[in-house]
C-alpha cells in the first residue's frame, strides 16, 4: 500500500459549489494543497482558480492528469459523469476521491473497480454520513451491544424542492436515489453491518415535472438484508422550501435489546430572526470557524487526505460504495416493475 510522505497535491475535476468546498478544505489542511482545477466549462474553472489562487486551470481532465503533477484527484462532477474520469485518473496512477455515488450504471461500477485494482491506486467515495455525529453515536451504540441484534430500521432523507429546481441544473439527468439515496443506503448498510439482499420500491412523479424538472419526486423502499434485518427507506426532493433545513432527515433503529432514534432535520442551538424571516444556520453539516471549513460533510474530505498520508484504511471503501450503487440500481428496477428485485453483486 502506497503511503504519501510529502504534502499531498490535489487536483479537482468539477468547479461547482462542492468543488469549491473541496478546494477550500485542501487549502486549509496543513499537509495538502490544490495544484489544479478542471471543468468542461473552462471559464468556470478559471473563475474558481482566480478566486482561490489555484494556478493551474484546465478544460480537459486528460490534459490535467498529464501535466498537473497531482498525487490524487477529487471527482466533483455530476454523478453520471464520474466513470470516465475515474478510470482515466486510475490509469494515470492517481488516487481517487469520488463524490457519491461511485457510478450510476453497473458497467461503470465494475470499470472503476477494475481500473483501481489494476493500477493499485487508492479510492474512496464521499459518503459522508459516516462522519455525522448523530450517526456516529448510533453506530457506537450498535458496536457496544446496547441495541442487541439490530432487527429493523427506518431512514428518511429528503430534500426541499429548491435542490432539484435551482441548485442542481442537472437534476433531470439524475435521481434523488443517487443524490440522497446513496447516503441513506450506505448509512443503513453501515449501521446494520450487512448488505442488502432484496428490495421492493414504489415511486411517484409529477410535482417536479410540472416545474420543468423531469425526474421522479420520491421513492419509498423496503430493504431486506442478508442477515434477515428489514428497513424502510424514504427519499424525495419535494419537501416545501420553507423547511428550516434543506434536508428532512430522520432515522430509527430497533434492536432486540434497545432502540436509537435520530432527528437531524433541525436543531435548537441557534436561530436568527428578522422582521421578514427565521433562519436556522447550519452549524452541523457544513459551516466555517475562523474562516476555515468545518462540519461533518467536510470531515470526510479531510479524512481522505489523512488516510492517504498515514496509509490507514478509508472509513468507507470503494467496495462499500460499489455495493451501495448496485443496490440502488435494484431499487430503480423495482420501482419500475413494482416487483421485488434481488440485488446482483
Amino acid at each position: 500500500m502506497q503511503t504519501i510522505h510529502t504534502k499531498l497535491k490535489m487536483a479537482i475535476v468539477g468547479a461547482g459549489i462542492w468543488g469549491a468546498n473541496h478546494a477550500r478544505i485542501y487549502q486549509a489542511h496543513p499537509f495538502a494543497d490544490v495544484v489544479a482545477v478542471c471543468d468542461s466549462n473552462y471559464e468556470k474553472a478559471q473563475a474558481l482558480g482566480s478566486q482561490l489562487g489555484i494556478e493551474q486551470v484546465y478544460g480537459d481532465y486528460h490534459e490535467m492528469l498529464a501535466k498537473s503533477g497531482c498525487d490524487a484527484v477529487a471527482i466533483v462532477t455530476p454523478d453520471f459523469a464520474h466513470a470516465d474520469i475515474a478510470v482515466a485518473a486510475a490509469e494515470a496512477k492517481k488516487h481517487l476521491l469520488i463524490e457519491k455515488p461511485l457510478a450510476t450504471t453497473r458497467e461503470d461500477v465494475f470499470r472503476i473497480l477494475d481500473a483501481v485494482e489494476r493500477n493499485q491506486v487508492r479510492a474512496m467515495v464521499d459518503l459522508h454520513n459516516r462522519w455525522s455525529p448523530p450517526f456516529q453515536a448510533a453506530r457506537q451504540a450498535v458496536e457496544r451491544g446496547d441495541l442487541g441484534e439490530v432487527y429493523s430500521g427506518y431512514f428518511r432523507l429528503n430534500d426541499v424542492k429548491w435542490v432539484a429546481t435551482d441548485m442542481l441544473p442537472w437534476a433531470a439527468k439524475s435521481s434523488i436515489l443517487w443524490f440522497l439515496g446513496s447516503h441513506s443506503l450506505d448509512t443503513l448498510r453501515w449501521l446494520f453491518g450487512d448488505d442488502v439482499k432484496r428490495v421492493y420500491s414504489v415511486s411517484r412523479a409529477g410535482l417536479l415535472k410540472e416545474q420543468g424538472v423531469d425526474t421522479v419526486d420520491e421513492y419509498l423502499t423496503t430493504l431486506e438484508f442478508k442477515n434477515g434485518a428489514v428497513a424502510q427507506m424514504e427519499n424525495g426532493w419535494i419537501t416545501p422550501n420553507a423547511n428550516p433545513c434543506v434536508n428532512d432527515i430522520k432515522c430509527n433503529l430497533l434492536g432486540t435489546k434497545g432502540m436509537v432514534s435520530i432527528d437531524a432535520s433541525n436543531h435548537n442551538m441557534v436561530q436568527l430572526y428578522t422582521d421578514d424571516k427565521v433562519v436556522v444556520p447550519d452549524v452541523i453539516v457544513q459551516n466555517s470557524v475562523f474562516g476555515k471549513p468545518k462540519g461533518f460533510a467536510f470531515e470526510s474530505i479531510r479524512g481522505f487526505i489523512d488516510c492517504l498520508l498515514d496509509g490507514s484504511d478509508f472509513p468507507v471503501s470503494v467496495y462499500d460504495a460499489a455495493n451501495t450503487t448496485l443496490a440502488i440500481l435494484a431499487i430503480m428496477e423495482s420501482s419500475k416493475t413494482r416487483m421485488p428485485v434481488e440485488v446482483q453483486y
Side-chain angles (χ1 to χ4, degrees):
M1 180 181 295
Q2 182 182 0
T3 303
I4 306 295
H5 296 288
T6 58
K7 201 167 186 178
L8 189 71
K9 293 179 286 187
M10 291 294 308
I12 300 168
V13 183
I17 295 171
W18 208 249
N21 282 336
H22 274 257
R24 293 185 182 97
I25 292 164
Y26 303 138
Q27 290 179 331
H29 197 290
F31 301 110
D33 200 5
V34 187
V35 297
V37 61
C38 175
D39 199 286
S40 57
N41 181 336
Y42 184 72
E43 289 74 22
K44 198 172 181 180
Q46 274 187 317
L48 182 59
S50 176
Q51 177 188 359
L52 297 181
I54 304 168
E55 293 185 1
Q56 296 188 60
V57 176
Y58 297 91
D60 184 311
Y61 63 86
H62 294 287
E63 183 182 5
M64 184 202 74
L65 292 170
K67 296 180 179 179
S68 69
C70 64
D71 299 310
V73 177
I75 300 174
V76 201
T77 64
D79 44 40
F80 51 82
H82 290 174
D84 287 346
I85 304 167
V87 170
E91 297 287 0
K93 310 297 183 184
K94 310 300 182 183
H95 302 297
L96 299 168
L97 175 57
I98 305 169
E99 276 302 327
K100 52 77 194 170
L102 173 65
T104 58
T105 71
R106 183 179 182 85
E107 178 187 4
D108 283 347
V109 165
F110 288 101
R111 278 206 301 137
I112 295 172
L113 292 181
D114 176 66
V116 167
E117 291 167 356
R118 278 190 297 102
N119 291 284
Q120 297 184 323
V121 296
R122 301 192 63 196
M124 175 180 139
V125 175
D126 186 19
L127 291 159
H128 56 231
N129 225 32
R130 297 193 186 202
W131 281 258
S132 169
F135 289 99
Q136 270 288 327
R139 170 72 178 190
Q140 292 164 25
V142 171
E143 291 176 337
R144 289 193 304 266
D146 295 351
L147 277 60
E149 176 192 350
V150 182
Y151 204 76
S152 63
Y154 169 76
F155 199 122
R156 172 164 135 198
L157 180 52
N158 297 328
D159 262 343
V160 297
K161 295 174 186 174
W162 167 83
V163 172
T165 59
D166 293 85
M167 176 181 166
L168 300 180
W170 42 270
K173 297 180 180 179
S174 184
S175 166
I176 190 59
L177 285 176
W178 297 128
F179 196 65
L180 289 186
S182 54
H183 285 307
S184 306
L185 192 52
D186 175 71
T187 306
L188 286 169
R189 291 179 55 257
W190 179 55
L191 292 173
F192 279 84
D194 198 22
D195 275 316
V196 177
K197 176 184 178 182
R198 184 185 299 111
V199 303
Y200 174 59
S201 185
V202 294
S203 61
R204 191 169 184 188
L207 292 180
L208 289 172
K209 288 183 179 181
E210 290 174 359
Q211 297 189 42
V213 183
D214 188 10
T215 189
V216 172
D217 292 335
E218 60 182 354
Y219 292 83
L220 300 176
T221 305
T222 299
L223 308 170
E224 294 182 67
F225 288 83
K226 292 179 178 179
N227 63 12
V230 293
Q232 290 291 123
M233 191 173 85
E234 175 185 341
N235 298 114
W237 39 13
I238 55 171
T239 300
N241 287 331
N243 197 60
C245 178
V246 67
N247 300 131
D248 175 17
I249 176 169
K250 295 174 177 63
C251 179
N252 182 280
L253 286 182
L254 177 65
T256 54
K257 296 181 180 178
M259 182 178 76
V260 61
S261 183
I262 295 171
D263 182 352
S265 298
N266 206 347
H267 57 76
N268 294 315
M269 291 188 285
V270 57
Q271 295 87 33
L272 303 180
Y273 305 95
T274 70
D275 289 334
D276 303 315
K277 60 185 177 180
V278 178
V279 177
V280 181
D282 178 7
V283 296
I284 298 175
V285 181
Q286 51 176 328
N287 61 92
S288 64
V289 177
F290 298 119
K292 294 187 177 181
K294 300 294 180 182
F296 76 79
F298 298 155
E299 283 303 316
S300 56
I301 298 170
R302 267 191 288 269
F304 170 78
I305 300 169
D306 294 339
C307 289
L308 277 186
L309 291 171
D310 65 21
S312 60
D313 291 338
F314 296 127
V316 52
S317 74
V318 68
Y319 303 101
D320 279 321
N323 284 356
T324 293
T325 286
L326 295 175
I328 288 177
L329 288 169
I331 292 171
M332 289 179 163
E333 181 183 347
S334 176
S335 74
K336 292 177 182 177
T337 63
R338 292 302 200 261
M339 295 291 291
V341 173
E342 301 279 335
V343 183
Q344 301 297 317
Y345 292 109

